[in-house]
Amino acid sequence: MESYRIHLSESEMPQEWYNIIPDLPSPPPPYLHPATGERITPDDLAAIFPRALIEQEVSPERWIAIPDDIRRIYQLWRPSPLHRARNLEAALKTPARIYYKNESVSPAGSHKPNTAVAQAYYNKVEGITRLATETGAGQWGCALALACNFFDLECTVYMVKVSYHQKPYRRSLMHIWGASVYPSPTDRTQAGRDILAKDPETSGSLGMAISEAVEDAATHPDTNYALGSVLNHVMLHQTIVGLETKKQLALAEDSPDVLIGCVGGGSNFAGFCFPFIPDKLGGQDIRVVAVEPTACPTLTKGSYTYDFGDTTGLTPLIMMYTLGHSFVPSGIHAGGLRYHGDAPLLCQLVHEKVIEARAYPQNPVFEAARLFAETEGIIPAPETAHAIRAAVDEAIVCKETNQAKCIVFNFSGHGHFDLAAYDAFLEGQLKDIELDPDEMIKKALAELPQVKGK
Ligand SMILES: Cc1ncc(COP(=O)(O)O)c(C=O)c1O
């Protein structure tokens, strides 16, 4: 019998996360202090992060044990299945083998709880009682609300205003799990008030919401900040995805030719592909493809330079591909991909040409999502649909060139709360690009911070 799903038992769930830092071709550039431009110290970060996560951020250890309390919560949905997309393959008439790792089976519907649970745990252990965060599409806010609920922590979520209105049911989920949710920018923080004074009609952005959440955490001693992507410790927690995928491909007696994931801040992509990078660096012929929207083309059109992680310049300066911290992407439906920067570890590997990047407009992405829903049944999150578009295109190339490649992508989340976006697509209302991003990028890049020695 042909198998459609490759499962691991709960006891086969990885016991350690994989840290890519010791395996990188060169050491990662340091984070710099936003005010002084000097290297950031652990003490600088201690105001908003627990010690354990600060240590993970710079750890030279290749393997980091997953505490039992985290593993017990992971077991509610992990290991997640790896699916062979046989119906999609048949519809495309491709000789390629297509697999997808299904992270949509978590209670919050995406990969985000993999790090939310870890972050809530380490904060709880260090005596913190509340976490503040931002959310774009609402997936991360839901994941953190869920995790805080498990560890009995309060949770405050600054939700990008456009998504707050586009995705009311994500708000409901956060409320069920006990979080307080505010449309950002708000008048609760100085950062929010300053942004609103300049542009009262702003649709918000992840960069703005990060400024608000960081300020909230920095001004309340009982509160820390939790970030759903970008930072090294978030990539680390997400590697459970790729580690499981590796074991599952081995069970299927297959190995990847192409690995694909969508990129907002980089966490699902990094978690999925980092465990394969040592194989690639060791000579295995694997292409690793990061997919982003043309409306927010960080990796394909950004500059590789130091920039702030947020809009107002509260976060450390990070060496990354950036569109400029003042770049506000148009309100496309993949809200989780609307971020001006990307994870520095991922950016470094793109810069060193280990990872390739490509961008797609909304309509072809939703066409691929519809094909996937028709063939495999699951309705993808608009973010995830970017990876599906690229996987479908790779499979079409295989058909044209008659190559039976193994294409594996990360199915980062389902789209059950994105149905308004699907309605807009089905009614032909989706615009591909509302504003000219090239002009906006030029303007935002002109506002990059000056950094010593750069
Ligand atoms: C389903 C889904 N996929 C992908 C992303 C992008 O985030 P990241 O690049 O950190 O995985 C998001 C962000 O909210 C998301 O909700």
Side-chain angles (χ1 to χ4, degrees):
M1 199 172 80
E2 288 181 332
S3 75
Y4 282 73
R5 282 172 303 151
I6 300 129
H7 283 288
L8 298 174
S9 67
E10 288 175 37
S11 62
E12 288 171 301
M13 189 170 74
Q15 309 212 358
E16 294 165 315
W17 292 299
Y18 165 64
N19 176 20
I20 199 170
I21 291 177
D23 290 330
L24 287 174
S26 52
Y31 298 153
L32 304 179
H33 195 285
T36 63
E38 300 294 335
R39 243 171 204 267
I40 219 99
T41 65
D43 285 345
D44 294 326
L45 298 174
I48 57 168
F49 292 116
R51 284 275 157 196
L53 293 181
I54 297 171
E55 276 163 30
Q56 288 181 0
E57 195 61 23
V58 292
S59 173
E61 301 299 327
R62 185 170 285 115
W63 297 102
I64 295 181
I66 308 175
D68 286 347
D69 286 347
I70 297 177
R71 285 170 49 80
R72 272 193 284 275
I73 294 178
Y74 278 177
Q75 272 174 266
L76 294 176
W77 72 94
R78 304 211 72 86
S80 68
L82 180 74
H83 299 239
R84 174 86 186 265
R86 292 188 189 274
N87 297 350
L88 179 62
E89 289 169 16
L92 293 170
K93 298 189 176 61
T94 177
R97 299 178 305 287
I98 307 175
Y99 296 85
Y100 61 98
K101 175 70 168 162
N102 189 357
E103 287 298 302
S104 78
V105 298
S106 82
S110 78
H111 64 293
K112 297 279 180 183
N114 298 329
T115 183
V117 170
Q119 294 190 44
Y121 166 81
Y122 290 113
N123 276 290
K124 179 75 180 182
V125 168
E126 294 188 26
I128 286 295
T129 58
R130 181 169 74 100
L131 289 179
T133 197
E134 72 294 326
T135 194
Q139 294 265 25
W140 167 243
C142 286
L144 195 69
L146 172 80
C148 285
N149 160 78
F150 284 136
F151 288 105
D152 203 15
L153 293 168
E154 279 179 64
C155 183
T156 303
V157 182
Y158 294 87
M159 184 169 188
V160 176
K161 201 195 280 170
V162 60
S163 300
Y164 184 91
H165 296 297
Q166 269 176 1
K167 310 210 164 157
Y169 296 120
R170 287 242 161 249
R171 251 189 282 153
S172 311
L173 287 194
M174 290 184 255
H175 286 149
I176 290 171
W177 286 316
S180 309
V181 190
Y182 302 97
S184 167
T186 71
D187 58 6
R188 291 169 52 85
T189 63
Q190 193 56 48
R193 288 189 289 274
D194 289 348
I195 293 164
L196 286 172
K198 268 201 213 153
D199 183 3
E201 298 307 318
T202 178
S203 55
S205 70
L206 269 181
M208 293 177 196
I210 293 174
S211 295
E212 294 211 272
V214 169
E215 183 185 319
D216 185 338
T219 51
H220 295 94
D222 60 347
T223 303
N224 264 349
Y225 170 63
L227 185 60
S229 193
V230 179
L231 296 176
N232 301 351
H233 66 263
V234 181
M235 307 298 120
L236 172 80
H237 302 151
Q238 291 293 355
T239 58
I240 190 151
V241 177
L243 293 167
E244 285 179 5
T245 305
K246 258 189 137 167
K247 286 191 177 188
Q248 287 161 315
L249 284 171
L251 281 179
E253 296 178 352
D254 217 333
S255 75
D257 295 303
V258 191
L259 293 168
I260 299 171
C262 66
V263 174
S267 72
N268 87 86
F269 176 77
F272 172 65
C273 73
F274 278 6
F276 295 88
I277 296 291
D279 304 333
K280 180 171 169 83
L281 293 174
Q284 207 174 309
D285 187 11
I286 313 176
R287 282 176 47 231
V288 189
V289 184
V291 191
E292 60 186 12
T294 47
C296 192
T298 313
L299 296 171
T300 48
K301 290 202 174 169
S303 287
Y304 187 57
T305 185
Y306 272 104
D307 197 6
F308 299 112
D310 67 330
T311 302
T312 38
L314 293 177
T315 68
L317 288 159
I318 303 171
M319 184 71 176
M320 61 181 174
Y321 281 95
T322 175
L323 298 168
H325 59 281
S326 59
F327 179 81
V328 181
S330 56
I332 55 162
H333 282 281
L337 306 187
R338 298 172 73 241
Y339 181 58
H340 68 273
D342 271 328
L345 293 176
L346 160 62
C347 292
Q348 190 178 343
L349 288 166
V350 171
H351 189 65
E352 290 175 7
K353 302 204 172 359
V354 178
I355 290 171
E356 58 191 273
R358 72 172 73 152
Y360 288 110
Q362 290 197 97
N363 275 300
V365 162
F366 273 85
E367 273 154 26
R370 173 162 60 182
L371 175 64
F372 188 86
E374 285 167 352
T375 52
E376 296 295 317
I378 313 175
I379 298 166
E383 292 83 1
T384 310
H386 287 71
I388 300 174
R389 176 75 259 169
V392 166
D393 284 356
E394 289 291 329
I396 292 171
V397 172
C398 284
K399 180 180 166 184
E400 287 163 359
T401 55
N402 200 22
Q403 284 180 300
K405 287 197 176 160
C406 172
I407 300 167
V408 192
F409 71 88
N410 195 24
F411 191 91
S412 57
H414 66 64
H416 297 176
F417 299 97
D418 301 284
L419 299 179
Y422 278 91
D423 283 345
F425 168 66
L426 294 174
E427 288 159 16
Q429 308 277 330
L430 275 196
K431 295 201 190 83
D432 269 342
I433 291 185
E434 285 135 51
L435 296 163
D436 178 1
D438 285 343
E439 264 314 299
M440 290 160 56
I441 295 166
K442 215 159 95 191
K443 193 161 159 269
L445 287 178
E447 293 172 20
L448 281 173
Q450 295 298 315
V451 177
K452 273 193 287 185
K454 289 282 310 165

